[in-house]
Every structure is written in structure tokens, then in C-alpha cells.
Amino acid sequence: MSRILAAAALTAAAAAAPVAQEVENPFSDPPDRRAGQGSFGVHCSLCHGADAQGGGETNGPDLTTGRFRRTSTLAGLFNIIRDGVEGTAMLGIDPDEPDRVVWQIITYLDSLTPNPTDIDLPGDAETGQALFTGRGNCAACHMVNGRGGRLGPDLSRVAERRDPDELRADLLDPDAAVEPRWWTVVATTADGAVVEGLRMGEDTFTLRLIDADERLRSFSKRELRSYERSKASTMPSVRGTLAAGEVDDLIAYLFTLRK
Ligand code: HEC
Ligand code: HEC
């Protein structure tokens, strides 16, 4: 297997592996919630506030929004509480405490977050799903539950991290805040051909990108006439191609994917 193919296979495997999302909280009954609240008061409230809404002298963040800056998975949340966040005031819980206590705290935190079914969405999820795989062309770039393209982030659980307004902004203004991982590269080869894609890697001598057909391309920098990185997204805005109601439908669809 060539190195390029090996790299492509590696990225594919990395993208497809769900990050331990199958983990389930084994201590999630009402008595666990009460125990978790008690443990939170003992171990966490000093920094995260008595009701977990943050503040306090030590400035621990609000933990009631249902979304965390450091992780988007249950396993990730568990690890933060168990082991802490290196280099910050967030130390892991006392190692003598059993995992059960961590799970119970998570159950307590979970009970504070807004219930997804409370969110009233105007769109129609079924129409949204049809748009996603059909005319909206979203599936060309985005994976949902293992199906779709790899030119954008997996959207299976995006609605657990983004609220409806944020999702609307993602669709209307994709260029607004693009993570470096999704920056675009435009390379012009010596014979004038222009290749555009996602930057996969770069060192002193070579530039690797994935083009719109999901082909991994590798260029020797010396052979390129020029190349340019752009903080813009490769995702086209839906402004002008989809009606406002259709955007609502897509958002409703993405919300049905929440677990
Ligand atoms: C000494 C203060 C302190 C204590 C005690 C503490 N935390 Fe934290 N915690 C922090 C700070 C500060 C951060 C922000 C760290 C960062 O990401 O920069 C944080 C971050 C977190 C995060 C990640 C938040 C995010 O948005 O990614 C979680 C979850 C968390 N704490 C849960 C807990 C729990 C549960 C406890 C009790 C077992 C606890 N913390 C105890 C100070 C504390
Ligand atoms: C040409 C590829 C492409 C197409 C087509 C595309 N996207 Fe994207 N999308 C991306 C990329 C790349 C990103 C990450 C960069 C960014 O934030 O714009 C992204 C980001 C997103 C995000 C934010 C994800 C996050 O993790 O915060 C959402 C939501 C989204 N797209 C939904 C859609 C929907 C719905 C459609 C169909 C109407 C669509 N995309 C069409 C490539 C695409």
C-alpha cells in the first residue's frame, strides 16, 4: 500500500470511529441523582457554584448548559471529572472516590441541563432529512450515523453541542468561525491547474490535501507555482439556495439525531 493510501485509510478509520459514544451511565436513577448532588456539594461547588452555574472565586465554568468546551462525549466528561484538565485549576476528583461517584455527579449535572424535548422547533424533521441527503447536498460532505462524506465534520450528534440558532448560523455563514482543521487550501501547479481542498498535512517539502472528490493529493511544494491557505470554509452557505423554512427543516432533522 502506498503511503498516501495508508494515510487515507488512517483518516477514514479515525473519522469513522465513534469516540466511545456507546458508553452508558450505569448510575442514573433518581437516588443516584440525589447522591450526585451531595457529592457535587462536597467536591465541586467550591469552584463551580452551589448549583453548578459557575462563578465563585475560583471561576469554574457553568456546567448546566449541557455542552462542554472540553468534550462532547459522555466518556470525555467522565475523564475530565475523574482526571481533571491538565494545566488548569480543574483537578480530578479524589482518586479514593469510586467511579460510581463520578457517574452520580454526571447524573446530577444531566438533570440540570435543558431537556432537548423542551425545545420547540418550527421545522419538519422528515423534510429536513430528505433535504439533507437530496437537494441540500449535505450528505456529500457530512457523515450522519456512518453514512455520507468526509469533507466536513460528522453531524450525528452536532445538535448536542449547538443550539438551533448556532446551527442556523452554521448554515448561513459557514465562514464565520472555521477550525484550522477545516481551512481551505488552494494550490496552483506548475502547469497552471488549480486544486482546492481541505488541508490534510504540510511540512517543509510537501503539502497534502483532500480534493472535492475525496481524493488525497500530495504535492511537492517545489513543483507548485503557488498555494494559499484560507480560513474560509469549503462549505457553501445555504443563503439563496434554501428557503428559511427549509433551513428550519434541516435543523429539526439534526435535532432528531440527539441521543
Ligand atoms: C479548584 C477548583 C475546581 C474544582 C474543585 C473543580 N473544578 Fe471543574 N473546573 C475548574 C476550572 C477552573 C475549569 C476550567 C478548566 C479549563 O478548561 O480551562 C473546570 C472545568 C471543568 C469541566 C469542563 C468544563 C468544560 O466546559 O469543558 C467539568 C466538566 C468540570 N470542571 C467538572 C467538575 C466536577 C464535576 C467537579 C467536582 C468533582 C469539579 N469540576 C471540581 C475548577 C474546578
Ligand atoms: C462542500 C462540503 C460541504 C457541504 C456541501 C456542506 N457542508 Fe456543512 N460543513 C463543511 C465543512 C468543511 C464544515 C466545517 C467548517 C465550518 O464550520 O464551516 C461544515 C460545518 C457544518 C456545520 C457545523 C458543524 C460543527 O461541528 O459545528 C453544520 C451544522 C453543517 N456544516 C451543516 C451542513 C448542512 C445541513 C449542509 C447541507 C445544507 C451542509 N453542511 C453542506 C462542509 C460542507
Side-chain angles (χ1 to χ4, degrees):
M1 197 192 271
S2 78
R3 290 218 335 250
I4 291 175
L5 276 177
L10 255 180
T11 359
V19 193
Q21 280 165 350
E22 303 82 15
V23 184
E24 266 190 43
N25 185 340
F27 298 96
S28 56
D29 294 331
D32 294 313
R33 195 202 89 89
R34 276 194 298 278
Q37 180 166 19
S39 301
F40 188 89
V42 175
H43 298 287
C44 323
S45 59
L46 174 69
C47 298
H48 290 282
D51 47 11
Q53 289 183 334
E57 289 149 50
T58 40
N59 239 350
D62 184 351
L63 301 176
T64 66
T65 62
R67 284 177 291 143
F68 301 99
R69 202 161 56 84
R70 296 279 185 185
T71 181
S72 57
T73 66
L74 190 54
L77 182 59
F78 180 92
N79 290 336
I80 288 175
I81 300 172
R82 187 78 265 184
D83 304 327
V85 179
E86 224 185 301
T88 75
M90 175 61 203
L91 302 176
I93 194 169
D94 186 337
D96 290 343
E97 295 292 346
D99 287 353
R100 173 175 44 81
V101 170
V102 175
W103 286 122
Q104 288 172 333
I105 291 174
I106 291 176
T107 297
Y108 165 63
L109 292 177
D110 207 33
S111 72
L112 304 174
T113 64
N115 186 337
T117 54
D118 293 348
I119 300 173
D120 194 16
L121 294 168
D124 176 65
E126 247 174 75
T127 313
Q129 177 165 22
L131 278 168
F132 192 90
T133 49
R135 192 161 53 80
N137 200 33
C138 319
C141 293
H142 291 287
M143 194 76 86
V144 164
N145 295 335
R147 312 189 76 169
R150 298 180 196 286
L151 298 172
D154 188 315
L155 297 182
S156 311
R157 302 176 71 114
V158 70
E160 291 172 24
R161 290 187 290 109
R162 315 278 289 155
D163 68 28
D165 289 338
E166 290 170 330
L167 288 174
R168 188 168 292 111
D170 287 338
L171 299 188
L172 293 171
D173 302 307
D175 291 340
V178 180
E179 280 180 41
R181 170 165 180 222
W182 301 110
W183 286 355
T184 308
V185 219
V186 183
T188 310
T189 61
D191 53 15
V194 177
V195 186
E196 193 178 327
L198 290 173
R199 190 175 76 114
M200 291 307 292
E202 184 177 350
D203 58 32
T204 318
F205 305 108
T206 51
L207 172 71
R208 290 188 304 284
L209 59 83
I210 288 205
D211 70 15
D213 298 321
E214 286 199 30
R215 274 178 311 182
L216 188 71
R217 312 271 303 255
S218 186
F219 299 98
S220 155
K221 283 184 179 172
R222 270 194 318 194
E223 288 160 13
L224 290 176
R225 189 180 295 168
S226 67
Y227 71 95
E228 221 183 335
R229 269 203 275 163
S230 143
K231 295 183 184 176
S233 178
T234 48
M235 170 165 162
S237 167
V238 299
R239 218 184 281 279
T241 56
L242 295 181
E246 293 177 315
V247 172
D248 286 340
D249 295 338
L250 280 166
I251 293 170
Y253 166 59
L254 292 174
F255 264 79
T256 61
L257 303 171
R258 290 173 68 123
K259 302 266 155 37

